[in-house]
Amino acid sequence: MSQYDVPGLYSFLLHTPEAGLRKMFVDPKNFTEVHFNLMMKVVRACDEAKFTEHFEKQDFPKIKMGPADVKIKEKFWGEAMNVWNSRGLLTPAVATKAA
């Protein structure tokens, strides 16, 4: 079980227009255009369950990665989490009680 509301994050990334996401995230120091493109490749390649799984394992689905992607993939998840957190998108998971 993740400590974050990953399905909520996935839904936001999937349903928000790309231009809006680009304005929100791309920043030359912490989250470059390459980071953004890799993030969108992962979102498009996954459903909610798969995205959550890759998020927790900090790995990637089978996607085509260019040289720029390969260069950042080691640090991608940590850097993405920092940006999502700083933008208020990584909210703590709400514990659901078993009925």
Side-chain angles (χ1 to χ4, degrees):
M1 177 72 187
S2 178
Q3 63 188 26
Y4 297 111
D5 174 20
V6 182
L9 171 67
Y10 172 78
S11 181
F12 177 81
L13 294 174
L14 186 67
H15 298 294
T16 303
E18 209 170 296
L21 290 174
R22 184 171 266 114
K23 280 183 188 159
M24 181 187 266
F25 293 126
V26 175
D27 138 21
K29 282 196 203 93
N30 304 313
F31 204 77
T32 65
E33 190 71 31
V34 176
H35 287 83
F36 181 81
N37 292 335
L38 183 55
M39 174 184 79
M40 294 312 296
K41 283 181 191 176
V42 172
V43 169
R44 285 190 208 105
C46 297
D47 59 16
E48 186 180 290
K50 282 283 179 205
F51 182 83
T52 302
E53 193 179 303
H54 291 298
F55 177 95
E56 289 171 358
K57 290 180 180 171
Q58 309 268 297
D59 65 4
F60 295 92
K62 285 192 164 107
I63 54 175
K64 193 172 180 183
M65 288 193 187
D69 298 329
V70 171
K71 204 170 173 181
I72 65 160
K73 81 177 200 179
E74 290 294 314
K75 295 181 180 172
F76 172 79
W77 286 105
E79 291 169 345
M81 287 172 72
N82 287 338
V83 168
W84 295 330
N85 206 13
S86 72
R87 304 301 193 272
L89 294 173
L90 270 188
T91 54
V94 179
T96 51
K97 291 183 179 170

